[in-house]
Amino acid sequence: QQFVIGIPAREMEVCSSDELVLIQGIIDAYFEEPDGLVIVDYKTDWAPDKNGQILVDRYRKQLLYYREALERLTGKRVKKMYLYSFSLGKALECRG
């Protein structure tokens, strides 16, 4: 799902301005369950730790932008976000 959204600069912690910063991206995958949407973003990075926390920390902000974009586009709530790490061979939940 491609998207372009405007987010006030103050929300991005860039400055205290209400000027919009445009963010463009592509959500790899999402699906709908009865109680909300689930985002999945695929990562091919090598994971330096076995539990994947470094990847989750690295990409949390990206997934938060994806959540905001998808909620705006669909009008539905995103209930969960996951990174799928190919190097670890598993999904990592990203809370935020």
Side-chain angles (χ1 to χ4, degrees):
Q1 175 70 51
Q2 282 189 308
F3 68 89
V4 176
I5 60 170
I7 297 178
R10 65 178 156 63
E11 289 182 21
M12 297 180 68
E13 301 173 1
V14 172
C15 63
S16 61
S17 172
D18 285 331
E19 290 289 322
L20 292 181
V21 175
L22 293 180
I23 297 178
Q24 173 181 322
I26 300 174
I27 298 169
D28 290 337
Y30 75 91
F31 56 91
E32 185 172 0
E33 293 186 335
D35 58 341
L37 303 174
V38 177
I39 294 173
V40 180
D41 194 54
Y42 301 106
K43 296 298 177 197
T44 58
D45 305 35
W46 176 76
D49 59 335
K50 296 292 183 204
N51 66 2
Q53 190 59 49
I54 292 172
L55 287 180
V56 170
D57 292 343
R58 183 180 302 156
Y59 291 107
R60 178 176 283 110
K61 187 162 265 197
Q62 177 186 351
L63 285 173
L64 292 174
Y65 290 138
Y66 285 6
R67 178 179 70 189
E68 184 162 346
L70 194 55
E71 287 179 345
R72 286 188 194 183
L73 288 169
T74 65
K76 298 178 181 179
R77 181 180 76 87
V78 171
K79 68 174 196 167
K80 291 196 176 186
M81 303 176 294
Y82 292 96
L83 293 174
Y84 183 84
S85 169
F86 283 99
S87 70
L88 294 174
K90 66 180 179 179
L92 310 166
E93 186 170 2
C94 183
R95 300 175 194 264

